[in-house]
Amino acid sequence: MASRPPLRTASASASYSTDSPTAAAVPPGGVPQSITSLLNNPLPSASAGSYWLPWPPPTALPDAPPPPSHPCEVSRADFAPYLARVADPFARFADVRLHATAELALAASDLAAPASASSSGLAACLREVPALFFKEDFALEEGATFEAACPLADAALQERLGQHLDVVEAHLVREIARRSESFYEAQGRLRGLDGEIVAAVGRIRELREVVRVLTGDLVGDAQQVQELNATRGNLVALQEKLTIILYVSQALAALKLLVLAADCAGALDVIDDLQNLIDTDELAGLYCFRHIRDQLGASLDSVNSILSAEFVRAAVPDGKTVDAMVLSTVKRKTSTPLNGTEHEVNVDEEDGFILRDRLLPLIICLLRTDKVPAVLRIYRDTLITVMKASIKSTVAEMLPVLISKPIDSDSVTGDRAADSDAGGQSLANKLRSLSSEGFVQLLSAIFSIVQVHLLQAAEVKKIVQWIMRNLDGNISPDDTNPVVQHGGSVDFSQEKDYDVTSRVSNTVTRSPTKLPLFQGKANDMSSINSIKNIRADVLRESTEAVFAACDAAHGRWAKLLGVRAALHPKLRLQEFLIIYNITEEFIAATEKVGGRLGYNIRGILQQQSKQFVEYQHSVRMAKIKAVLDQETWVAVDVPEEFQAIVLSLSSTDFPVNGMEMPSNDNSKLIEDGISTSQESAHSTENNVENSNGTSTTSNENKVESTSQTENSVAGHVRPVSQTIVLGGVGYHMVNCGLILLKMLSEYVDISKCLPSLSFEVVQRVVEILKHFNTRTCQLVLGAGAMQVSGLKSITSKHLALASQIISFIHSLIPDIRRVLFLKIPEARKHLLMSELDRVTQDYKVHRDEIHTKLVQIMRERLLANLRKLPQIVESWNGPDDNDSQPSLFAKAVTKEVTYLHRILSQILLEVDLQAIFRQVVQIFHSHITDAFSKLELNSPQAKNRLCRDVQHILVCIRKLPAQNFSSEPVRNYGLLDEFLAEKFGTKVDE
């Protein structure tokens, strides 16, 4: 089915001539159409007026019949006249409705499915004509298609094709006829609209002419006046624009000159004025100033660069000047011994005012550009860089001076001496080759450099904080001291405070568009918050700058300590203490100035302190092992120095070895007492290390050598004694005991000087005490000294001396515990106290075992003599035995016990003697009585001999210092006395 023809446009309808009778016949509201595909009206009998139907109808409908006055029966016949009159209009109305319904259905079918639009038209045609002829790819020239379409002969084929053609044409004509009414109706309406448009155009032409005439006669002059006035206004605006252009041109030229002259305040004023012009759109549309924002940005960047460079130049000290000043001071001190360190650096009052005057205008300008935080970050990086460079140059310049300085051979270890002899050293090797004194001098120089930089950084921070506190123009009396000096203060006067605040307020508020938050009387909450935010940023960055400088200083110091980490544990205590104290002083000073805790450097210092304690402990453990292996257990004289150590440990206010706690200024760290103590300790260590366990020198010679070394101080000999007194009791000492006492005093010194390591020191003391006790037991009680020291036997004298040493240490442990526990927290004391209690108990058990060993020796000797008694008694039964002397048995027993008493009484304490001989007396009473009771004596001579022996032995027992173990008033009364009284009816008096 063909689609509907398109409607004509207004221009197309205007092309029709108004003289055409067809156009004249088109009624108003008609829509004329021109379809070239249709040449003839399929309904020639219909007039042109049949193609349009006005609605409502032009003829008035007859009035409806009046309602009946009374109820009656109404039938359809009663409406026949009315229906006859309205039949034609109603038919036309129905036709119009049908046509409209068809149009709507056609439109819907065109959108949905054009092929199914008409079931009675083309659909019927498709049912009658074979579908083959309606295929899109129908091609009769193809063989298969031709055979399917033309299966018959020529005559029958022509007839059949003609029938198909007639069916198609008939249905096409029927469809065209069905749509012809609406088509010609639309064409008629289009022609009528064309005529109306032509009439309207003519009317418009007339109205234009009338308006032209009225304009020329009535309003021409007024319009001209208005145009002239507008021209004048445009010229005035043009003049103003030119004035602004001239001003902007001059301002840009002046801005360049101000930037070149580094007049930042003036340049910022010009930039602010031009920025105000830009913000008010005064320069909008001016092509010549299209790049003015970029120019202002470039100028502002230049100003910021100048301000940043000037701020950094003023705030950061000149590294070369500081280095030269510090190096000249340190080099003068290198020629004198190191008696202390002085690191008090003060900032001159005048320098403080100069620094404030230089920084104040720079900070004000930076506040106007909102670049204070950024510049402070640049300042922080520059400060760190300059300080690191100063430290590096100082190390490089001082190393040759310090290395060329003569080094005390006693203070140089083997490794450092080897490094000092090597040529072409690296920086690390040069640092390691320095003596401890030279290294301390290097640290002192670095300390001074760091302190100069940090103090000025702190001053800058305080000045920035002071300015930020006074931005609102209100200065409290407490805020008039922005610069607090170390060792003094700089007070700004009230007049200067007022001037500075006025400069801050006036200068900053010149640019209300740039910094509206500094107006001073702003009550807006957002402005207050903005002020607080800016202040917080500036204060944070100024603080971070000092923090970063402290961190950098700590890092450099820690790196220097780390290079010599392998050497510091091998130093003497006073040498290590100087390094430790100067580091502590450095940490305290930097933390006070910068406010940043030095966790890193404190950790490194603590680590090296632990390494120092561990190394010193390992050296002492090796030394005490060697000394114990070489000990011959011979009593030695006790120099006065060791008695002083005991007294200091026993007193409440001690220094051990005369060593006082190091003061803050590190003055007089090396005293005569320390030097003497360390010299003797090092001499003893050298003797032990050089012996390698093969020395054949006697114990007396070693003690004599040690005593001479320890006693020869300042050209005179100190007095010595045979015992060392502790708690009013004198103890005999051997060489290893004195050395252990010296070591314990050194541990106490380490604990006092390094209080943070008191816990570790106590652990090391416990370990060395355990080792000394265990090794002594192995050497004496276990007879190990016979193999390692070359002793032929372990005598009672050896045991007695070992008992004295063990008793002395056992008595000394409480004093050591009291001294060492002074610096240990209460929470950690319980563990260490239990450890020391166990060690104390071990010493007591060891001493008791020695005493038991002495008693056992005497018992074994008695049993050996008792085994010879039967042979001796056989000679008593002879008739010619008239000897009035005690037997050999009695003489041997009394001689041995008397010898033991004489040896032990010279060495042991009275209490120990009584405890030992109490057991010996009891053994004598029980064993001798038992042996004598078993003897068979037949002659009176034998009984007399036995009585004399018993009396002789009892006389000896009465002399022994044993405690009374019976209720009898007779001393050392026992079974032997009862045996004598029972057998012979006699007794032995005291």
Side-chain angles (χ1 to χ4, degrees):
M1 182 180 67
S3 61
R4 295 182 58 194
L7 296 174
R8 292 289 303 275
T9 60
S11 61
S13 63
S15 63
Y16 284 88
S17 174
T18 55
D19 298 334
S20 174
T22 305
V26 175
V31 182
Q33 285 186 337
S34 177
I35 303 176
T36 57
S37 62
L38 298 178
L39 302 177
N40 298 316
N41 188 349
L43 299 176
S45 61
S47 61
S50 64
Y51 290 100
W52 63 276
L53 178 64
W55 187 261
T59 60
L61 295 177
D63 296 335
S69 58
H70 55 85
C72 62
E73 294 291 336
V74 180
S75 64
R76 185 176 180 81
D78 294 334
F79 293 98
Y82 173 77
L83 293 175
R85 287 193 297 271
V86 299
D88 292 338
F90 180 76
R92 289 193 297 271
F93 171 72
D95 186 42
V96 170
R97 288 189 64 183
L98 180 62
H99 181 71
T101 304
E103 288 289 334
L104 292 175
L106 181 61
S109 63
D110 289 342
L111 294 174
S116 61
S118 176
S119 61
S120 61
L122 293 180
C125 179
L126 290 173
R127 286 194 298 269
E128 296 178 9
V129 179
L132 176 65
F133 295 96
F134 294 97
K135 291 184 177 180
E136 293 182 359
D137 57 348
F138 179 78
L140 192 60
E141 62 271 11
E142 294 182 359
T145 304
F146 182 80
E147 291 178 359
C150 305
L152 304 177
D154 293 340
L157 178 61
Q158 290 181 1
E159 182 180 357
R160 184 176 179 180
L161 292 177
Q163 290 176 357
H164 292 336
L165 181 60
D166 292 340
V167 171
V168 173
E169 289 179 353
H171 284 291
L172 286 176
V173 170
R174 190 179 302 116
E175 291 295 327
I176 293 172
R178 191 168 65 83
R179 290 169 172 79
S180 60
E181 287 189 21
S182 59
F183 172 75
Y184 286 104
E185 181 183 356
Q187 186 178 16
R189 291 177 181 271
L190 186 59
R191 289 176 180 174
L193 180 61
D194 191 12
E196 292 178 0
I197 290 174
V198 171
V201 169
R203 184 62 179 167
I204 290 171
R205 187 180 295 111
E206 294 175 358
L207 291 175
R208 284 182 176 177
E209 185 63 24
V210 172
V211 170
R212 186 183 62 79
V213 173
L214 292 176
T215 300
D217 295 341
L218 298 178
V219 298
D221 295 337
Q223 183 179 3
Q224 185 178 5
V225 171
Q226 184 179 5
E227 292 176 352
L228 291 174
N229 188 27
T231 303
R232 180 180 178 278
N234 292 335
L235 292 175
V236 171
L238 179 60
Q239 184 181 9
E240 293 177 355
K241 286 290 184 182
L242 292 175
T243 303
I244 292 174
I245 291 173
L246 178 61
Y247 169 75
V248 172
S249 300
Q250 294 175 349
L252 290 175
L255 179 61
K256 293 181 181 179
L257 296 177
L258 291 173
V259 171
L260 291 176
D263 187 356
C264 297
L268 289 177
D269 293 339
V270 174
I271 292 174
D272 291 340
D273 293 340
L274 293 178
Q275 189 64 46
N276 289 335
L277 287 176
I278 295 174
D279 295 339
T280 55
D281 294 335
E282 293 289 341
L283 303 181
L286 296 178
Y287 184 78
C288 58
F289 294 137
R290 65 188 182 277
H291 300 304
I292 189 170
R293 291 183 183 272
D294 297 336
Q295 293 176 359
L296 292 181
S299 299
L300 187 60
D301 292 340
S302 300
V303 171
N304 288 331
S305 300
I306 295 173
L307 291 173
S308 175
E310 289 296 330
F311 182 88
V312 171
R313 188 179 300 111
V316 178
D318 186 8
K320 295 182 179 179
T321 304
V322 173
D323 295 348
M325 177 185 66
V326 173
L327 287 175
S328 61
T329 304
V330 173
K331 287 180 179 179
R332 286 196 304 269
K333 293 181 179 180
T334 55
S335 59
T336 60
L338 181 63
N339 295 324
T341 55
E342 297 179 358
H343 303 296
E344 189 68 25
V345 179
N346 295 327
V347 179
D348 187 45
E349 179 179 355
E350 184 178 356
D351 294 338
F353 281 113
I354 293 174
L355 179 62
R356 183 207 62 182
D357 293 339
R358 291 182 64 185
L359 293 181
L360 181 60
L362 300 175
I363 295 175
I364 293 173
C365 293
L366 289 171
L367 285 172
R368 294 177 61 183
T369 61
D370 292 339
K371 292 296 182 181
V372 177
V375 172
L376 287 176
R377 287 190 288 270
I378 298 174
Y379 157 71
R380 176 186 63 194
D381 298 337
T382 306
L383 176 62
I384 294 173
T385 303
V386 171
M387 187 169 61
K388 288 182 178 179
S390 298
I391 294 174
K392 185 177 181 180
S393 62
T394 300
V395 172
E397 293 185 21
M398 287 194 64
L399 277 178
V401 178
L402 297 175
I403 292 176
S404 61
K405 183 181 177 181
I407 301 176
D408 185 8
S409 59
D410 293 338
S411 63
V412 181
T413 63
D415 295 338
R416 193 161 68 233
D419 289 339
S420 62
D421 295 336
Q425 300 169 328
S426 64
L427 181 60
N429 290 333
K430 290 180 180 179
L431 288 172
R432 295 188 190 100
S433 65
L434 288 176
S435 64
S436 61
E437 181 180 353
F439 184 67
V440 170
Q441 290 176 346
L442 179 62
L443 292 180
S444 178
I446 295 174
F447 193 170
S448 301
I449 291 174
V450 170
Q451 199 166 20
V452 169
H453 286 84
L454 289 183
L455 284 177
Q456 183 150 345
E459 303 303 332
V460 173
K461 171 188 171 183
K462 289 168 185 160
I463 292 174
V464 172
Q465 291 177 345
W466 177 77
I467 294 175
M468 297 307 298
R469 285 198 304 267
N470 298 313
L471 281 177
D472 54 357
N474 297 322
I475 301 181
S476 63
D478 296 336
D479 291 336
T480 58
N481 186 14
V483 181
V484 179
Q485 307 293 349
H486 295 265
S489 63
V490 179
D491 296 332
F492 294 159
S493 63
Q494 296 291 337
E495 181 180 359
K496 291 188 177 182
D497 283 337
Y498 178 78
D499 294 341
V500 171
T501 306
S502 300
R503 290 171 61 187
V504 173
S505 178
N506 295 334
T507 307
V508 171
T509 56
R510 281 181 56 86
S511 176
T513 59
K514 185 66 176 176
L515 293 172
L517 50 103
F518 296 132
Q519 290 295 329
K521 294 183 179 181
N523 294 323
D524 185 64
M525 200 52 131
S526 62
S527 299
I528 296 175
N529 292 333
S530 299
I531 293 176
K532 291 181 179 179
N533 292 335
I534 289 181
R535 286 179 177 177
D537 292 341
V538 174
L539 295 179
R540 183 181 65 254
E541 292 297 337
S542 62
T543 304
E544 284 295 328
V546 183
F547 284 173
C550 287
D551 291 340
H554 291 167
R556 290 294 167 175
W557 194 282
K559 189 174 182 180
L560 290 174
L561 293 179
V563 170
R564 292 173 55 90
L567 298 177
H568 290 168
K570 302 177 182 179
L571 297 176
R572 298 177 184 177
L573 177 59
Q574 69 270 23
E575 294 174 344
F576 182 80
L577 279 180
I578 295 175
I579 298 175
Y580 181 88
N581 290 333
I582 192 176
T583 304
E584 285 284 353
E585 184 180 354
F586 173 79
I587 295 172
T590 53
E591 288 179 348
K592 180 180 179 181
V593 175
R596 175 64 65 90
L597 298 178
Y599 294 109
N600 183 26
I601 188 173
R602 285 188 183 277
I604 292 177
L605 184 61
Q606 186 74 1
Q607 180 184 4
Q608 292 196 4
S609 300
K610 289 183 179 180
Q611 293 175 353
F612 173 79
V613 172
E614 185 62 33
Y615 178 80
Q616 297 296 325
H617 175 66
S618 63
V619 170
R620 284 161 177 76
M621 286 293 292
K623 175 183 174 182
I624 199 66
K625 290 177 183 178
V627 170
L628 284 171
D629 289 342
Q630 296 178 13
E631 183 61 60
T632 56
W633 302 100
V634 177
V636 296
D637 293 335
V638 178
E640 184 183 4
E641 175 193 355
F642 293 94
Q643 185 62 56
I645 293 175
V646 173
L647 293 176
S648 63
L649 289 174
S650 303
S651 63
T652 55
D653 298 330
F654 57 92
V656 179
N657 294 336
M659 176 178 286
E660 300 288 348
M661 289 297 293
S663 59
N664 293 332
D665 57 356
N666 295 324
S667 62
K668 200 176 181 181
L669 284 174
I670 304 176
E671 298 182 359
D672 293 339
I674 303 175
S675 182
T676 304
S677 171
Q678 297 296 335
E679 286 175 3
S680 74
H682 276 273
S683 64
T684 308
E685 291 177 4
N686 293 333
N687 291 334
V688 173
E689 292 173 359
N690 294 332
S691 64
N692 293 324
T694 58
S695 176
T696 58
T697 306
S698 65
N699 197 37
E700 290 83 0
N701 292 335
K702 289 192 296 181
V703 174
E704 181 181 359
S705 175
T706 305
S707 301
Q708 291 176 358
T709 305
E710 294 171 345
N711 293 330
S712 57
V713 178
H716 65 276
V717 178
R718 295 183 180 180
V720 297
S721 62
Q722 293 183 350
T723 60
I724 187 167
V725 179
L726 175 61
V729 179
Y731 297 89
H732 291 272
M733 300 297 290
V734 296
N735 188 52
C736 63
L738 293 178
I739 293 178
L740 178 63
L741 176 62
K742 185 68 178 178
M743 290 180 180
L744 293 176
S745 70
E746 292 170 353
Y747 280 115
V748 173
D749 292 340
I750 295 174
S751 177
K752 288 192 307 177
C753 299
L754 304 175
S756 60
L757 298 178
S758 296
F759 185 84
E760 287 77 7
V761 172
V762 174
Q763 289 180 327
R764 305 307 187 274
V765 169
V766 169
E767 183 178 352
I768 198 171
L769 288 175
K770 285 182 178 180
H771 176 76
F772 183 84
N773 185 45
T774 303
R775 189 58 180 163
T776 301
C777 182
Q778 294 173 354
L779 292 174
V780 180
L781 286 178
M786 296 176 62
Q787 286 77 29
V788 297
S789 300
L791 296 180
K792 296 180 179 180
S793 63
I794 303 299
T795 65
S796 58
K797 185 175 183 180
H798 297 154
L799 291 172
L801 287 173
S803 174
Q804 281 280 278
I805 299 302
I806 297 301
S807 299
F808 172 74
I809 301 300
H810 178 268
S811 302
L812 188 64
I813 287 177
D815 293 332
I816 294 176
R817 176 170 59 185
R818 176 183 56 81
V819 173
L820 293 179
F821 278 24
L822 292 177
K823 302 296 183 179
I824 297 178
E826 292 293 335
R828 309 182 73 180
K829 283 184 179 180
H830 179 70
L831 177 62
L832 296 178
M833 193 171 295
S834 62
E835 288 288 335
L836 277 174
D837 290 341
R838 283 194 291 269
V839 173
T840 305
Q841 184 63 25
D842 292 341
Y843 271 79
K844 183 177 181 302
V845 171
H846 186 190
R847 182 191 61 189
D848 295 340
E849 289 177 352
I850 293 176
H851 295 172
T852 303
K853 183 66 175 178
L854 291 171
V855 174
Q856 184 179 0
I857 291 174
M858 198 65 245
R859 180 176 177 273
E860 291 176 354
R861 295 304 307 158
L862 176 61
L863 292 177
N865 290 322
L866 288 175
R867 284 193 293 268
K868 299 177 183 179
L869 182 60
Q871 298 178 358
I872 298 175
V873 171
E874 289 179 359
S875 63
W876 291 356
N877 294 322
D880 55 350
D881 187 11
N882 296 320
D883 190 3
S884 62
Q885 296 296 324
S887 66
L888 295 177
F889 166 75
K891 291 180 179 179
V893 170
T894 55
K895 179 181 179 181
E896 289 177 354
V897 73
T898 303
Y899 177 79
L900 178 64
H901 174 253
R902 185 177 70 252
I903 294 299
L904 296 185
S905 61
Q906 296 174 359
I907 300 174
L908 293 182
L909 303 178
E910 185 65 26
V911 177
D912 297 334
L913 280 174
Q914 291 181 2
I916 293 171
F917 281 101
R918 181 171 181 266
Q919 299 180 45
V920 171
V921 169
Q922 290 177 346
I923 292 173
F924 271 41
H925 277 294
S926 62
H927 285 69
I928 295 176
T929 301
D930 184 63
F932 283 174
S933 299
K934 296 179 181 180
L935 294 177
E936 295 181 359
L937 303 177
N938 299 322
S939 62
Q941 294 86 353
K943 293 181 179 180
N944 291 333
R945 294 292 299 269
L946 179 60
C947 181
R948 286 196 300 271
D949 285 354
V950 172
Q951 291 176 347
H952 182 74
I953 293 173
L954 286 176
V955 170
C956 179
I957 289 176
R958 295 285 190 270
K959 297 178 182 179
L960 296 179
Q963 299 175 350
N964 289 333
F965 47 85
S966 65
S967 59
E968 296 293 332
V970 181
R971 184 178 182 182
N972 297 337
Y973 185 87
L975 295 176
L976 196 58
D977 290 281
E978 296 177 357
F979 175 80
L980 180 63
E982 180 181 355
K983 292 291 185 180
F984 304 102
T986 184
K987 62 179 182 178
V988 177
D989 297 331
E990 296 184 8

